[in-house]
């Protein structure tokens, strides 16, 4: 074994886990696709915090305490590494700078975070339409802002990017929000949770007040949303309060929540189950992030959406368990160290039920109308998927054979949930019966040149 | 560029020449390539092999493959690349979508 522990992803879960494991004496290798640590939430934070920390806010600049974890002795950070295969729960194949490479580790921690929940609307493939997360990455890493943008969807991230755009001097033209009054009322059931998470609630209210003061219009309970334009986005059309209107713009930023990025876990056949409240599949894990494979743990948003603080706690908890299984931490010490972390983790998760209920995914984007493209790569529409269902297609893997859905380079990352939902509805099955795409390596496209440049050529043959 | 849908807060990076689909551009060295192209007013990065529809960056995190361009004959994700001097970027050939 080259290392005691290999961690996939240098976001909050991966960074916190690396530090905890290294402090327990494990040799740790941290693989990440980006050139700097932080994941998407703290993208490029070491360089950027002094440049525009005032715009991005303290929740972002605080990420530097996590990136400092990397100074702990015993951690090797491999940047720019695209992992494309995990084998036998211990061997990792990746490419870096055009060359393939492999390493082995006694344990693996998957900390690959979240993806934006796909939000298929008519026109969402047009240039100028991006995820709100993409806008955040543009602002964090590059200081790049959309001049005339409309934010569409729901949830706290929409308010956060709106507030950041405001502070940067380029406020959004409008917020087109999909949550309804009924959602807010239902969410009140979970009010005790929001009271425990009052700091988040206050921040949300402050952002909304800032947007209101700046005169940014908000349209709530919007439905029948479509993006207009032929070669690029030119406007957002929607109906709210019985009125249909169009807001002209250059950029549309979509967001209705994030979902666990489960590609790596699925590729090694870790079982996943549908979580109705979060409306996503989650890998089956125990309280330590342990999986059905004894050498593989999962921590952070990739195991279930909880946000950055919860992710860093879950990373530490998983690292303690891994250190125990690696024979470096007696069980009593593991439990003692984990106790305060588990307590904080449950406090971090407390507001989730409120948030998930107050800002549910936009129903019309979960099962879009027939003409809407759901698979961006292969340009398969919702109508195509429904037609496959009438022809006997009862699962996403068959949909690949019927019409190439999910077979493009994104490997279903932005259509998987939609295709499962469409088939489940059409066939009258639940999401677990319908299931999800079977994910197989390579997790990201690998070129022949990269394989040819592989350090250990014969291992890559299979 | 005045007409671009995006603008970039100044970061005092030196600008270097690159070409995109035959067009000469001056982009900030070391910047994220997709972000720099958007700020330079590029709206279409590629066309889909199936219908020829225009596409541009969607996720900015290496997951959607809509930002795929061709650099030195190899399809790469622009959002995962850095601007370097003399980069020659073209739209991917029909049928080459990075798969
Ligand atoms: S914009 Fe999605 S992969 Fe680059």
């Amino acid at each position: 074994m080259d290392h005691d522990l290999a961690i996939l992803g240098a976001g909050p879960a991966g960074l916190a886990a690396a530090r905890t494991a290294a402090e327990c004496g494990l040799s740790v290798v941290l693989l990440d696709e980006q050139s700097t640590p932080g994941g998407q939430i703290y993208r490029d934070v070491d360089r950027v915090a002094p440049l525009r920390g005032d715009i991005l806010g303290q929740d972002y600049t605080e990420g530097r305490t996590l990136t400092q974890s990397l100074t702990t002795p015993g951690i090797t950070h491999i940047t720019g590494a695209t992992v494309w295969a995990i084998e036998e729960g211990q061997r990792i194949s990746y490419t870096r700078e055009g060359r393939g490479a492999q390493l082995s580790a006694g344990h693996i921690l998957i900390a690959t975070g979240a993806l934006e929940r796909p939000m298929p609307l008519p026109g969402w493939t047009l240039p100028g339409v991006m995820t709100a997360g993409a806008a955040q990455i543009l602002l964090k890493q590059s200081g790049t802002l959309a001049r005339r943008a409309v934010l569409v969807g729901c949830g706290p991230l929409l308010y956060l990017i709106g507030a950041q755009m405001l502070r940067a001097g380029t406020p959004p033209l409008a917020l087109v929000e999909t949550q309804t009054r009924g959602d807010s009322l239902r969410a009140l059931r979970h009010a005790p949770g929001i009271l425990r998470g009052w700091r988040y609630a206050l921040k949300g209210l402050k952002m909304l007040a800032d947007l209101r003061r700046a005169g940014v219009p908000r349209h709530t309970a919007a439905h029948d949303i479509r993006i207009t334009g032929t070669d690029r986005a030119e406007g957002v059309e929607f109906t709210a309060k019985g009125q249909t209107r169009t807001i002209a713009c250059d950029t549309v930023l979509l967001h209705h929540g994030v979902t666990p990025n489960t590609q790596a876990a699925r590729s090694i056949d870790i079982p996943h189950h549908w979580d109705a409240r979060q409306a996503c599949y989650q890998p089956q894990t125990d309280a330590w992030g342990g999986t059905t494979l004894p050498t593989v743990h999962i921590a952070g948003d990739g195991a279930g959406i909880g946000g950055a603080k919860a992710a860093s706690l879950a990373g530490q908890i998983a690292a303690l368990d891994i250190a125990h299984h690696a024979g470096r931490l007696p069980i009593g010490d593991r439990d003692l160290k984990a106790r305060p972390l588990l307590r904080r983790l449950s406090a971090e998760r407390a507001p989730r039920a409120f948030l998930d209920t107050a800002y549910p995914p936009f129903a019309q984007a979960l099962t879009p109308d027939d003409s809407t493209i759901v698979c961006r790569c292969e340009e398969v529409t919702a109508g195509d998927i429904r037609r496959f269902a009438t022809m006997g297609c009862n699962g996403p893997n068959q949909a690949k054979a019927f019409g190439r859905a999910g077979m493009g380079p994104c490997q279903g990352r932005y259509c998987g949930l939609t295709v499962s939902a469409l088939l489940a509805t059409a066939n009258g099955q639940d999401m677990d019966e319908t299931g999800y795409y079977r994910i197989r390596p390579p997790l990201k496209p690998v070129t022949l040149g990269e394989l040819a440049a592989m350090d250990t050529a014969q291992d890559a043959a299979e | 560029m005045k007409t671009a849908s995006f603008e970039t807060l100044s970061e005092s990076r030196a600008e270097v020449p690159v070409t995109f689909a035959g067009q000469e551009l001056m982009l900030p060295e070391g910047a994220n390539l997709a972000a720099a192209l958007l700020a330079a007013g590029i709206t279409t990065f590629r066309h889909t092999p199936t219908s020829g529809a225009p596409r541009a960056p969607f996720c900015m995190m290496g997951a959607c493959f809509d930002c795929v361009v061709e650099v030195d004959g190899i399809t790469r994700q622009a959002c995962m690349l850095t601007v370097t001097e003399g980069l020659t970027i073209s739209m991917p050939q029909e049928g080459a979508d990075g798969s």
Side-chain angles (χ1 to χ4, degrees):
Chain A
M1 292 296 153
D2 306 329
H3 308 271
D4 294 322
L5 170 62
I7 301 176
L8 310 191
L15 288 168
R19 176 189 203 142
T20 301
E23 283 171 352
C24 293
L26 271 65
S27 67
V28 178
V29 61
L30 180 58
L31 293 143
D32 191 67
E33 292 185 348
Q34 294 298 322
S35 53
T36 56
Q40 307 306 338
I41 189 87
Y42 302 127
R43 176 79 83 101
D44 221 358
V45 65
D46 293 329
R47 189 182 63 84
V48 169
L51 281 176
R52 43 185 168 271
D54 49 337
I55 294 173
L56 292 163
Q58 201 193 339
D59 281 339
Y60 171 75
T61 55
E62 269 175 3
R64 274 183 297 182
T65 54
L66 272 170
T67 53
Q68 272 153 22
S69 306
L70 291 178
T71 56
T72 315
I75 303 176
T76 311
H77 180 202
I78 305 183
T79 60
T82 302
V83 170
W84 50 268
I86 305 170
E87 289 157 297
E88 280 116 46
Q90 293 189 308
R91 193 163 41 155
I92 291 169
S93 304
Y94 62 98
T95 48
R96 182 169 193 272
E97 287 170 358
R99 292 174 66 86
Q102 283 192 323
L103 57 80
S104 61
H107 291 264
I108 291 177
L109 175 66
I110 298 176
T112 49
L115 290 170
E116 288 271 347
R117 177 186 295 282
M119 193 167 177
L121 300 174
W124 76 308
T125 54
L126 287 168
V129 183
M130 306 180 115
T131 65
Q136 273 233 300
I137 293 166
L138 278 171
L139 175 57
K140 286 173 190 163
Q141 185 180 31
S142 309
T144 298
L145 288 138
R147 286 202 168 100
R148 297 174 65 239
V150 174
L151 311 188
V152 177
C154 64
L157 179 66
L158 218 54
Y159 302 145
L160 175 61
I161 180 76
Q164 290 171 337
M165 291 172 79
L166 197 64
R167 289 199 284 268
T170 50
L173 301 181
L175 268 62
V176 175
E177 300 179 48
T178 54
Q179 79 282 354
T180 64
R181 255 192 105 66
D183 297 329
S184 316
L185 291 176
R186 265 188 296 282
L188 286 181
R189 266 195 300 136
H190 304 287
I194 198 71
L195 289 179
R196 286 181 69 190
W198 58 273
R199 275 192 201 83
Y200 291 102
L202 273 187
K203 277 182 197 158
L205 291 174
K206 163 98 173 53
M207 290 188 281
L208 279 175
D210 289 348
L211 288 165
R212 189 174 312 121
R213 209 169 314 122
V216 176
R218 286 179 62 203
H219 306 274
T220 54
H223 55 95
D224 293 306
I225 308 169
R226 58 188 306 118
I227 295 137
T228 59
T230 42
D231 284 336
R232 47 168 309 168
E234 288 166 9
V236 179
E237 184 193 291
F238 62 97
T239 304
K241 298 205 180 80
Q243 220 187 359
T244 300
R245 66 176 97 208
T246 306
I247 303 174
C249 63
D250 292 336
T251 306
V252 180
L253 302 175
L254 302 177
H255 175 77
H256 64 155
V258 295
T259 67
N261 178 1
T262 58
Q263 302 291 116
R266 286 186 182 279
S267 78
I268 48 176
D269 294 326
I270 288 169
H272 285 66
H273 302 291
W274 182 252
D275 181 277
R277 203 193 73 214
Q278 295 209 331
C280 62
Y281 292 102
Q282 291 176 354
Q284 185 180 314
T285 53
D286 61 24
W288 301 93
T291 70
T292 48
L293 296 178
T295 57
V296 178
H297 281 63
I298 309 177
D301 276 356
I305 302 304
K309 295 229 168 74
S312 84
L313 292 164
Q316 296 171 62
I317 291 163
L320 292 173
D321 192 45
I322 291 165
H324 165 61
H325 286 289
R328 306 293 174 81
L329 190 66
I331 194 156
D333 290 358
R334 177 197 72 172
D335 293 351
L336 199 65
K337 284 179 193 252
R339 203 167 300 143
L341 299 172
L342 287 163
R343 206 166 33 232
R344 281 165 61 201
L345 181 59
S346 102
E348 273 303 321
R349 285 182 178 153
R352 284 313 314 184
F354 175 83
L355 288 174
D356 294 336
T357 320
Y359 300 106
F362 178 46
Q364 286 177 319
L366 292 181
T367 50
D369 63 12
D370 279 355
S371 60
T372 305
I373 288 178
V374 296
C375 167
R376 299 173 63 92
C377 297
E378 301 290 336
E379 302 184 282
V380 181
T381 65
D384 291 332
I385 302 292
R386 291 191 177 100
R387 194 162 41 80
F388 302 159
T390 63
M391 286 155 60
C393 174
N394 51 28
N397 295 304
Q398 284 174 290
K400 293 187 183 185
F402 275 92
R404 291 195 55 82
M407 289 180 73
C410 104
Q411 297 214 334
R413 285 174 177 83
Y414 289 105
C415 70
L417 285 176
T418 318
V419 169
S420 291
L422 286 168
L423 290 174
T425 311
N427 292 320
Q429 292 185 321
D430 69 30
M431 291 297 275
D432 280 321
E433 285 165 341
T434 304
Y436 191 84
Y437 291 133
R438 194 174 143 86
I439 304 297
R440 282 289 161 264
L443 292 168
K444 294 256 171 112
V446 190
T447 65
L448 284 177
E450 288 164 341
L451 281 183
M454 193 100 181
D455 296 336
T456 47
Q458 91 268 23
D459 285 341
E462 47 169 49
Chain B
M1 193 176 288
K2 272 191 298 294
T3 54
S5 316
F6 292 88
E7 66 182 51
T8 299
L9 304 169
S10 96
E11 224 173 68
S12 63
R13 291 183 189 266
E15 302 219 315
V16 294
V18 308
T19 59
F20 177 83
Q23 182 186 351
E24 279 254 5
L25 300 170
M26 293 298 288
L27 301 184
E29 184 167 31
N32 179 281
L33 178 61
L37 288 173
L38 288 172
I42 301 294
T43 50
T44 298
F45 280 49
R46 69 179 186 105
H47 294 93
T48 61
T50 319
S51 76
R55 290 288 173 87
F58 176 70
C59 75
M60 287 302 292
M61 54 183 280
C64 75
F65 292 78
D66 268 326
C67 67
V68 162
V69 292
E70 214 172 278
V71 179
D72 298 330
I74 299 172
T75 51
R76 306 281 300 271
Q77 293 162 290
C79 74
M80 303 294 279
L81 291 178
T82 299
V83 173
T84 52
E85 188 170 348
L87 217 52
T88 308
I89 310 149
S90 51
M91 290 197 195
Q93 310 277 306
E94 192 84 340
D97 57 1
S99 59

